[in-house]
Amino acid sequence: MRRFLLLAHRVPVSGEFTLNDLAGGAGRMDEIARAVSTAFTLSNYLRRDTTVTVLFAAEPPPAARRIDLEGARLRYLNPDERSTAALLKNALVRSRSLDRPLEASPGLAVAPADPAELLAEFARRPGARWLLESGPPLRDDAALGPEIAAIVSDPYDPTEAERAILEAAGVPPRSVGPRALRTSQVIDLVHAELDRREGAGPSPAA
Amino acid sequence: MRRFLLLAHRVPVSGEFTLNDLAGGAGRMDEIARAVSTAFTLSNYLRRDTTVTVLFAAEPPPAARRIDLEGARLRYLNPDERSTAALLKNALVRSRSLDRPLEASPGLAVAPADPAELLAEFARRPGARWLLESGPPLRDDAALGPEIAAIVSDPYDPTEAERAILEAAGVPPRSVGPRALRTSQVIDLVHAELDRREGAGPSPAA
């Protein structure tokens, strides 16, 4: 299984933003949507062996939300940013006054989240890696098997609190190249490295 | 220099499409916009050493258009699909009744195109490579220097005519992984391979 945790720092947790300005007023929801999209979509099929959790951090608690997308059951995911952002926005809006989890669409669940707890839990997963601009190359990571739990930040740096949790948990930092890449590009390169190790193999059914 | 030629097969050359449905009525303009965006943008700067030509094929001629984006001079490129699509749409609309080239915005020129001629010209560039699902791995390509002229198709397969031109020109086919990737993902992996070969080096100014 390939798991990604995306840290979204500035997306309005209420879902109150317009789909026409995802890169502005929506706190770079464009990049979150692009990252979710590229984590699951290939040319002709969805990656069913992938899950993505987006942590929508918000101050003050308890406004934070998590959205969990499960490739094996996911539906209604189109390849473009706008429709992906719409799926996520819909979940945030429906979760606004709820204190319990909700499956907003097949394979897409939203729930209130404790950011510190979620991060610490994810950091304990097998294959946990913290993707950073600096850090040893993922490609040289001989300890990594087919399971990865990759933590990737949105265009904003992880907060001090997030860093402290990941460092305390001893999550190995890794990089996917010499340049400071976009969140979505990091995800593409993580998948590419695992694809290469795996070889062609059978393509999951669409 | 890193050059990309994107083959756009179904985008309305007139620019007559809505930004609210890029993946539908706009003939997968979402993926073209995403590919252009990811070709130029990194986390904190634009790749100034990159050019992208989009060939908007259309039947019948002479409706075909090319848009040339030059990283060294490019302005007004934001990271999201919608605003990138808006830049390209604006150029197509302004070019509609013109039979000459036009710089629609800084570093972005639009012109009528002869698809066969453009393809043949690009195929003769140093470092010409045809990115395909099949083909020897780009990463093993010892003949490739820092110059690449990469030809990548949109979500639709190259036409028979396009294939014939590329085969006649002897453009080496290359792949960037065992899976059939999206256009934008292919571009990410081409850049990543060249970045890796180049090492960190100085980052171009933003």
Side-chain angles (χ1 to χ4, degrees):
Chain A
M1 189 64 74
R2 304 181 186 181
R3 297 181 190 280
F4 294 92
L5 174 61
L6 305 182
L7 307 178
H9 293 97
R10 300 197 191 173
V11 174
V13 177
S14 60
E16 285 169 343
F17 52 80
T18 165
L19 299 175
N20 295 341
D21 184 27
L22 293 174
R28 296 305 311 279
M29 184 61 169
D30 63 309
E31 187 67 21
I32 295 294
R34 184 184 287 229
V36 165
S37 158
T38 208
F40 287 111
T41 57
L42 287 173
S43 181
N44 298 312
Y45 63 89
L46 289 188
R47 291 185 185 268
R48 298 299 185 184
D49 64 343
T50 294
T51 71
V52 173
T53 297
V54 187
L55 170 57
F56 295 92
E59 294 299 337
R65 288 290 183 279
R66 63 185 289 170
I67 291 184
D68 292 278
L69 300 104
E70 193 188 340
R73 298 179 49 246
L74 194 58
R75 291 183 61 187
Y76 309 132
L77 186 76
N78 287 316
D80 63 304
E81 283 175 10
R82 184 186 176 89
S83 68
T84 304
L87 269 186
L88 300 173
K89 174 184 158 88
N90 172 57
L92 290 174
V93 167
R94 291 180 60 194
S95 170
R96 204 154 44 190
S97 55
L98 283 184
D99 56 4
R100 57 174 178 78
L102 169 78
E103 184 165 77
S105 56
L108 190 159
V110 59
D114 177 324
E117 195 178 283
L118 170 53
L119 206 53
E121 173 203 308
F122 200 88
R124 285 192 300 268
R125 286 194 173 278
R129 296 292 186 276
W130 182 11
L131 277 299
L132 281 177
E133 183 182 345
S134 56
L138 185 70
R139 99 163 42 200
D140 300 337
D141 192 337
L144 183 69
E147 298 272 318
I148 193 168
I151 300 160
V152 192
S153 191
D154 71 354
Y156 307 103
D157 288 334
T159 63
E160 282 307 310
E162 288 166 348
R163 285 185 182 278
I165 292 167
L166 295 174
E167 282 165 8
V171 180
R174 292 291 182 267
S175 71
V176 284
R179 303 248 180 256
L181 301 174
R182 294 174 61 166
T183 311
S184 52
Q185 293 165 339
V186 170
I187 289 176
D188 285 347
L189 294 179
V190 169
H191 268 318
E193 175 60 21
L194 294 177
D195 286 347
R196 188 180 65 82
R197 292 178 181 209
E198 201 174 87
S203 289
Chain B
M1 190 63 74
R2 305 182 187 180
R3 297 180 190 279
F4 294 91
L5 174 62
L6 305 183
L7 307 178
H9 293 97
R10 299 197 192 173
V11 174
V13 177
S14 62
E16 284 169 344
F17 52 80
T18 166
L19 299 176
N20 295 342
D21 185 26
L22 294 173
R28 295 306 312 279
M29 184 62 168
D30 63 310
E31 188 67 21
I32 294 294
R34 183 183 288 228
V36 166
S37 159
T38 208
F40 287 111
T41 57
L42 287 173
S43 180
N44 299 311
Y45 64 88
L46 291 187
R47 291 185 186 267
R48 299 298 185 185
D49 63 343
T50 294
T51 72
V52 173
T53 297
V54 187
L55 170 58
F56 294 93
E59 295 300 337
R65 287 291 182 277
R66 63 185 287 171
I67 290 183
D68 291 278
L69 301 104
E70 193 188 338
R73 298 178 51 246
L74 194 58
R75 291 182 62 188
Y76 309 132
L77 185 77
N78 287 315
D80 62 302
E81 282 175 12
R82 183 186 177 91
S83 67
T84 304
L87 269 184
L88 300 173
K89 173 184 160 89
N90 172 57
L92 291 173
V93 167
R94 291 180 60 193
S95 171
R96 203 152 47 189
S97 54
L98 284 183
D99 55 6
R100 56 176 178 78
L102 169 78
E103 184 166 77
S105 56
L108 191 159
V110 59
D114 178 325
E117 196 178 282
L118 170 55
L119 206 52
E121 172 202 309
F122 200 88
R124 286 192 300 268
R125 285 194 174 277
R129 297 291 187 276
W130 182 11
L131 277 298
L132 282 176
E133 183 181 345
S134 55
L138 185 70
R139 94 163 48 198
D140 300 337
D141 192 337
L144 183 69
E147 299 272 318
I148 193 167
I151 299 159
V152 193
S153 191
D154 70 354
Y156 307 104
D157 287 335
T159 64
E160 281 308 311
E162 288 166 348
R163 287 184 180 278
I165 292 167
L166 295 175
E167 282 165 8
V171 180
R174 292 291 181 267
S175 71
V176 285
R179 303 248 180 255
L181 300 175
R182 295 174 61 168
T183 311
S184 51
Q185 292 165 340
V186 170
I187 289 176
D188 285 347
L189 294 179
V190 169
H191 268 317
E193 176 60 21
L194 293 177
D195 286 347
R196 188 181 66 83
R197 292 178 180 209
E198 201 172 85
S203 290

